[in-house]
Amino acid sequence: MSRTKVSVRALEPDDLDQVIRIDERLTGQTRKDYWKKRLELSGLRPPWMSLVAELDQRIVGFLFGWTSESEFGIHGPTAWIDLIGVDPPYRGRGVGQALVEQFVQSAQELRAVDKVYTLIDLAQSDVREFFMKLGFKHGPMIQLEREVTA
């Protein structure tokens, strides 16, 4: 693997198979229908942003995010990182950081956001460390959930 610069660009429909491949490596699951629906949503809802990172002339990471106004009682425009994934052999090479930086820059330019949020599983300490290295910190919100039974 070379040490070339990570390139980040908007996701294109032809990139979907490579995103699915990375997701399969990360989750151990094949979720083609999920990703097809996800791609449809990203094109239908303008506040959504879908990015891919390229290195060594291949897609090695992805980020899906969105922007909103006054969501969850937060005043003003905000951005949310919904999904981020980096192909395991490319971790530690700045791929995730490049994706987040491009997302933040675009959210500032396109929507004038002044804060970016994400939700993480606290059991995934590597994910928590990644975001904290990028300047994220614990905020005042608490995620609540309820199981729905049939």
Side-chain angles (χ1 to χ4, degrees):
M1 288 185 276
S2 69
R3 287 286 177 193
T4 56
K5 185 175 187 253
V6 178
S7 173
V8 177
R9 62 172 174 78
L11 178 129
E12 298 172 4
D14 290 344
D15 300 330
L16 187 59
D17 286 340
Q18 293 179 71
V19 169
I20 291 170
R21 176 187 51 81
I22 293 168
D23 181 60
E24 286 175 352
R25 286 184 173 181
L26 295 172
T27 66
Q29 301 174 23
T30 300
R31 306 185 308 164
K32 289 183 182 182
D33 290 339
Y34 166 80
W35 283 105
K36 287 178 184 176
K37 287 178 186 175
R38 190 64 189 228
L39 187 61
E40 286 175 24
L41 279 177
S42 69
L44 295 174
R45 298 181 63 189
W48 285 86
M49 189 180 315
S50 308
L51 303 171
V52 292
E54 295 177 312
L55 194 60
D56 297 336
Q57 300 173 350
R58 63 184 293 188
I59 292 175
V60 297
F62 59 86
L63 184 148
F64 285 73
W66 50 284
T67 60
S68 65
E69 182 90 25
S70 299
E71 192 96 11
F72 303 108
I74 302 165
H75 299 288
T78 57
W80 292 81
I81 295 174
D82 197 25
L83 290 168
I84 186 168
V86 175
D87 201 354
Y90 289 88
R91 287 187 172 173
R93 298 184 58 194
V95 174
Q97 180 177 350
L99 284 162
V100 171
E101 287 175 359
Q102 181 61 53
F103 176 74
V104 171
Q105 179 183 341
S106 295
Q108 285 178 314
E109 291 172 2
L110 299 172
R111 300 284 183 179
V113 303
D114 56 8
K115 198 169 271 196
V116 178
Y117 296 87
T118 193
L119 295 172
I120 64 166
D121 181 343
L122 288 175
Q124 293 179 308
S125 60
D126 58 334
V127 175
R128 184 174 60 240
E129 285 180 34
F130 166 75
F131 279 107
M132 293 187 92
K133 282 182 183 176
L134 296 179
F136 286 75
K137 60 184 179 180
H138 291 271
M141 290 186 280
I142 298 174
Q143 169 253 345
L144 299 174
E145 64 185 38
R146 174 184 162 191
E147 284 195 38
V148 179
T149 56

